[in-house]
Amino acid sequence: MRENFQVDLQGIVDLLSNHLYSSPRVYLRELLQNAVDAITARQATDPGTPQRIDVRTADDGLSISDTGIGLTPDEVRELLATIGRSSKRDEIGFARTEFLGQFGIGLLSAFMVADEIEIVTQPAGGPATHWIGTADGRYTIAETTDRPEPGTTVTLKARRGAEQWYKKATVVELIRLFGALLPIEILVDGEQVTDGTAPWEGSRADLLGYAQDKLGFTPFDVIHLNNPAAGLTGVAFVLPFAANPAERATHRVYLKRMLLAENVEGLLPDWAFFVRAVIDTSELRPTASREALFDDGNLEATRDALGAQLRGWLVRLGNTDPAKLDRFLAIHQLGVKALALHDDEMLKLVHRWLRFETNHGRMTTAELQERSGEIRYVATVEEFRQLAAVAAAQQITVVNGGYTYDSELLERLPEVVPDLVTTRFDPTELSTSFDSLDPDTELGLRPFVGLAQAALDSVGCEVVVRAFEPAGLPALYLVDRSAQFASELRATKDRADALWSEVLGALDTHDDSRPQLVLNYRSPLVRRMASLNDPELAQLAVEGLYGHALMLGYHPISPADSALVNRSFLGLLDQAVPTQEDPNR
C-alpha cells in the first residue's frame, strides 16, 4: 500500500533555523521577497497599479501588506499548505526567471520567530481568503471580507523569546539591509525607509560615500562592472590597504535588487583579492538558503568576464597613469607577488610593472629587460650587500632577490613571459669583469701574492690581484655557491655527532673551489702593501684586509677567521706602537 510522507513542521522549522539559514533575520527578507513577487506578477497584467509594501510593527508581532496579485482559495492551498511546492507557483504566474522566490519554503522561515502566521489575500475580481497557520503544523482556511482591495497582508504573532526581531528599529534596519535597492515604495509605520537607488547609479562622490558608510573604507579607486549575460551591474572598490591573498575575498551581492548576502565568495577570480564588489544580478542562481551563489557554468563565465574587466583596469592604469599604478602596487605589492608566484595569469598581467631593488635604484621588470636584455639577481640580501657597489662600478645591474617572493618570481618569469631571461648572478662572475694586470706588473707581484697566499691558506682562501673600480675599495671577498655550500657542509659536519657527521660526509663532494680575496691594484693601499720590504708586516696587512672584506661583505666569520683577524689586529697594533725602554730597568 502506497502512503504519503508525514511532515513534522516543527522539525522542518528546526532544520531551517539551524542548518539552512544563518540567522532568524532572514524571515523579513522572505516576507519582502514574497511581496515583491506578488507586485511584479500584478504589474505584468495591470501596469498602472501602485507598487507599495506597508509594514506595521507591534510589541508582539508584525504585519506586512502589499499591492500584489493576491491569491485565490485554491492557490492558497497549493502555495501555503504544501511544503516545497514550486511547480504550481510557476503555473499561476510566478515564473522562476522573473521573480525572486524559487524554492517554495520561504514562508516557513517566519516560524523561526513566530508561533502563528495569519494571511489575508485577495486577487483582483475574486473573494478574499483568510489563512492561519501555526508552528505545530495545523492551519485553517476561510473566506473573508476583511480586505478592501487586491493584495496580501501577512501578520506574525511573536514566538516567546523572539520579540527583539519585531522592534521597529530592528525591522527598519533589516528592510534597509535587504530591500534598499528595491524599486518599490516601502513604508514602516507610515514612514518611507528606502529610496530604491543603487550605489552605481549615482556619482563618483556617491560611490565613495557608499563605500565609507557600508564597507568602512575610502576606496583607492572604483571600477564599474557590467556583464549583460548574467544581467549584472555593479562596482568593484579597490582596497586602500593591503589585503591577505590567502583569504578568500567576499562581496555584497543583490539578486534582482534584493540583497542575497554581504559575504558572497567566488564572484571574482582568486587573484582579485584587492577589490570588494557590490553587484546586482538577475540571472545567477542562488543556493537554497539564498545566502550564496550556486557555483555552476554561469557563475564561472561571469567570474571570467569580471576578471577581464579588472585586468582591463590594471592595463589602462599602466598605460595612462603609471604613477597611480605605482601607488596601487606600493599598497598591494606583497599580495600581488604572492598570488603571481602561483598564478600564471596574474604573473602575466602584472610582471612588467613589478618593481625590484637593484644596485642602480628601484626598477620595473620592463626597465630591467630594456636595460640589459637579461635580468641578473642574487637570492639573499646579504649577497646583494656584498656585491651591489662593486657590480654597479662595473656597470653590471644586479637585482636584490632577497625580499619576500622576489627571487622565486624572477626564477618563474621566463616560464610565462616569452623572450625574458633571468639568471642568478654568481659572485665569482665579477672577477671576469675586472681588468687583468699587464705581464710585467703581474710578474713583479708574484712574491707578494705568494706571501699573501701563505697568510690565508689556513682559512682556505685564494688570493688574486685584479684592477677594478672603485679604487677606494682595496679588497673584495668572493665565494661562489658551490664553495659556499661545501664550506657550510664541512662546518656543520664538524659540529654534528658521529652519526650525522657520517651522513653529511657522504654528501661532501670534496669540491676544490675556494673563496677568493681579490686585491684591487688600483687601490693606493694595495700598491703600498705590495712594495713593503717587511714580510711580516705585509702578511699582517693582508690578514687585516681579509677581515675587512669579510665584514664589509656581511659574510659569516668562522672561529678560524676570527683568530686570524685578531692576530692581524694585535700584530698591526704592535707594529704601530713603538717599544719604549722602561726607565726603572
Side-chain angles (χ1 to χ4, degrees):
M1 181 178 65
R2 296 184 63 181
E3 297 184 15
N4 292 328
F5 285 105
Q6 300 298 311
V7 176
D8 180 354
L9 185 59
Q10 289 181 319
I12 293 292
V13 171
D14 179 69
L15 180 67
L16 294 177
S17 59
N18 292 322
H19 301 285
L20 184 62
Y21 296 123
S22 61
S23 166
R25 70 178 187 171
V26 300
Y27 89 93
L28 200 49
R29 182 194 69 190
E30 299 296 333
L31 294 178
L32 280 176
Q33 170 187 296
N34 289 341
V36 171
D37 281 352
I39 292 172
T40 304
R42 186 177 181 187
Q43 287 290 306
T45 58
D46 190 3
T49 57
Q51 302 181 63
R52 186 178 66 254
I53 298 174
D54 192 357
V55 181
R56 298 287 173 175
T57 62
D59 291 339
D60 61 347
L62 170 147
S63 69
I64 178 168
S65 301
D66 64 64
T67 57
I69 196 170
L71 301 173
T72 68
D74 289 341
E75 291 167 350
V76 168
R77 288 185 176 88
E78 289 289 346
L79 294 178
L80 303 184
T82 307
I83 293 174
R85 176 67 61 86
S86 291
S87 59
K88 187 65 177 178
R89 188 177 192 275
D90 296 343
E91 292 172 14
I92 63 176
F94 293 86
R96 295 186 182 189
T97 57
E98 299 175 13
F99 299 90
L100 295 171
Q102 295 183 25
F103 297 97
I105 57 175
L107 186 63
L108 292 180
S109 66
F111 282 121
M112 293 190 291
V113 296
D115 283 326
E116 181 180 282
I117 302 174
E118 179 182 1
I119 297 177
V120 177
T121 182
Q122 178 179 334
T129 302
H130 187 196
W131 179 92
I132 299 177
T134 57
D136 60 8
R138 294 176 296 171
Y139 68 91
T140 60
I141 297 179
E143 289 192 8
T144 183
T145 57
D146 290 349
R147 188 173 179 87
E149 60 181 2
T152 300
T153 298
V154 179
T155 302
L156 306 184
K157 182 178 180 181
R159 169 173 289 184
R160 183 184 297 274
E163 292 83 3
Q164 72 271 19
W165 296 108
Y166 296 91
K167 294 183 182 297
K168 181 177 179 179
T170 302
V171 170
V172 170
E173 179 184 353
L174 291 178
I175 288 176
R176 286 175 175 168
L177 174 66
F178 292 115
L181 272 57
L182 291 171
I184 293 173
E185 182 183 12
I186 303 178
L187 307 175
V188 177
D189 295 335
E191 177 187 355
Q192 185 168 344
V193 295
T194 65
D195 61 13
T197 302
W200 51 86
E201 295 170 346
S203 65
R204 181 176 176 84
D206 293 332
L207 284 169
L208 296 179
Y210 176 89
Q212 292 167 351
D213 295 340
K214 302 298 184 182
L215 305 181
F217 61 82
T218 301
F220 175 85
D221 203 355
V222 179
I223 307 166
H224 285 271
L225 303 175
N226 182 44
N227 183 31
L232 184 148
T233 56
V235 289
F237 297 101
V238 181
L239 298 175
F241 48 81
N244 184 356
E247 296 179 1
R248 296 201 71 184
T250 58
H251 311 283
R252 182 178 287 229
V253 174
Y254 292 83
L255 181 61
K256 300 181 181 72
R257 301 180 80 93
M258 174 78 79
L259 180 68
L260 186 71
E262 299 170 279
N263 54 353
V264 174
E265 296 183 353
L267 177 67
L268 298 179
D270 288 340
W271 57 259
F273 65 90
F274 52 85
V275 299
R276 296 293 178 266
V278 180
I279 63 101
D280 177 58
T281 177
S282 61
E283 300 300 324
L284 296 179
R285 293 173 55 197
T287 58
S289 66
R290 296 183 55 78
E291 295 179 351
L293 291 172
F294 191 77
D295 199 350
D296 57 9
N298 288 338
L299 180 58
E300 184 178 358
T302 299
R303 190 159 47 232
D304 291 342
L306 298 182
Q309 294 176 35
L310 296 178
R311 284 196 299 272
W313 172 78
L314 279 171
V315 171
R316 286 193 303 274
L317 211 58
N319 293 335
T320 62
D321 196 346
K324 187 172 184 178
L325 180 63
D326 279 346
R327 294 198 302 274
F328 166 78
L329 288 176
I331 298 170
H332 295 288
Q333 180 156 249
L334 191 61
V336 167
K337 287 182 176 180
L339 197 55
L341 185 60
H342 305 286
D343 189 300
D344 288 352
E345 185 179 6
M346 186 65 163
L347 186 55
K348 290 177 184 177
L349 180 62
V350 302
H351 80 274
R352 73 194 74 174
W353 299 305
L354 292 177
R355 287 191 176 274
F356 298 94
E357 180 184 1
T358 79
N359 56 345
H360 288 104
R362 293 186 63 80
M363 302 174 70
T364 65
T365 308
E367 290 170 338
L368 284 165
Q369 188 176 17
E370 182 180 351
R371 184 182 185 93
S372 61
E374 178 183 1
I375 300 176
R376 309 166 96 181
Y377 67 95
V378 293
T380 66
V381 174
E382 289 73 18
E383 276 188 280
F384 183 76
R385 289 173 175 172
Q386 295 160 15
L387 305 174
V390 180
Q394 318 313 311
Q395 300 304 309
I396 299 174
T397 301
V398 178
V399 176
N400 182 2
Y403 295 114
T404 306
Y405 307 125
D406 281 5
S407 60
E408 295 93 334
L409 278 173
L410 289 165
E411 185 177 345
R412 281 200 70 230
L413 274 172
E415 299 176 11
V416 297
V417 182
D419 304 324
L420 183 62
V421 179
T422 65
T423 56
R424 185 169 173 182
F425 186 69
D426 195 309
T428 55
E429 291 182 49
L430 270 179
S431 60
T432 63
S433 66
F434 295 160
D435 295 334
S436 298
L437 306 181
D438 63 78
D440 291 339
T441 303
E442 192 167 352
L443 183 63
L445 287 174
R446 279 187 180 178
F448 170 70
V449 172
L451 183 147
Q453 186 61 66
L456 300 184
D457 274 339
S458 62
V459 290
C461 182
E462 179 185 1
V463 179
V464 296
V465 182
R466 297 287 187 271
F468 58 89
E469 297 294 337
L473 182 66
L476 181 66
Y477 183 82
L478 297 178
V479 54
D480 66 18
R481 287 190 293 276
S482 60
Q484 185 176 17
F485 173 77
S487 175
E488 292 174 353
L489 182 65
R490 289 162 190 159
T492 304
K493 185 176 67 172
D494 292 340
R495 295 193 301 269
D497 58 31
L499 175 61
W500 283 110
S501 180
E502 184 177 348
V503 172
L504 294 173
L507 298 176
D508 193 347
T509 59
H510 302 287
D511 192 334
D512 292 332
S513 58
R514 297 193 295 173
Q516 291 182 336
L517 181 69
V518 184
L519 300 177
N520 185 6
Y521 194 68
R522 291 197 177 125
S523 165
L525 174 60
V526 170
R527 291 200 297 271
R528 291 201 305 272
M529 288 169 54
S531 63
L532 287 172
N533 294 321
D534 184 344
E536 182 183 359
L537 181 58
Q539 183 175 359
L540 291 173
V542 170
E543 292 173 346
L545 273 187
Y546 173 79
H548 177 264
L550 284 178
M551 290 183 286
L552 192 65
Y554 300 91
H555 295 282
I557 297 178
S558 68
D561 295 331
S562 179
L564 182 142
V565 171
N566 185 58
R567 181 173 66 250
S568 168
F569 177 72
L570 293 177
L572 289 173
L573 279 180
D574 188 57
Q575 292 274 0
V577 179
T579 302
Q580 295 182 352
E581 292 294 333
D582 188 344
N584 296 322
R585 292 184 63 183

